[in-house]
Amino acid sequence: MPYALTRLLGAATAAYSGTIVVAPKVLAKPCGLTTPLGDTPRPVRTLIGAIGARDAAIGVAMMLAPPGPALRTAVSARVASDASDALVFGLTLPDPKARKKVVAFALFWAALCAVSLRWN
């Protein structure tokens, strides 16, 4: 099936993104943005919810866009979002270990999505 990897990455993006909207701690904890008691502060929940909604929309677009310019645009949006997340989180997360981990994951996902169109 053409574009199967791109569609799968879109589905994974949408599923993870929906998860962080409902349970922001899933992203807040690896980013080091929880309280000492493990709670996620309200402002962090708000921002993670916005990130999750953005990424869910992009993931659905990757799943449903027809091949061609629409699909390339959806994947480009995913790559740009992950690259900008890597930059912002890499420069601003308070914990250096969390910075490295989050940046590595975001850049890996951006690269995987970018090459997915070529693999199909």
Side-chain angles (χ1 to χ4, degrees):
M1 176 178 177
Y3 303 101
L5 179 59
T6 302
R7 306 302 189 186
L8 180 63
L9 293 171
T13 295
Y16 177 76
S17 300
T19 299
I20 67 171
V21 168
V22 174
K25 188 176 190 176
V26 170
L27 179 59
K29 188 173 180 179
C31 289
L33 297 175
T34 54
T35 68
L37 297 176
D39 297 321
T40 305
R42 183 179 206 133
V44 173
R45 288 194 316 264
T46 299
L47 291 175
I48 289 175
I51 291 168
R54 172 201 74 187
D55 290 351
I58 294 170
V60 170
M62 288 173 64
M63 291 169 34
L64 301 178
L71 184 56
R72 285 192 300 273
T73 299
V75 173
S76 295
R78 172 78 267 132
V79 172
S81 294
D82 284 327
S84 64
D85 288 349
L87 178 66
V88 172
F89 286 119
L91 293 174
T92 63
L93 285 179
D95 178 7
K97 286 184 182 180
R99 266 186 248 141
K100 289 178 185 177
K101 181 173 38 176
V102 171
V103 167
F105 184 80
L107 292 177
F108 169 77
W109 199 256
L112 186 58
C113 288
V115 300
S116 72
L117 289 175
R118 296 198 186 274
W119 288 349
N120 291 290

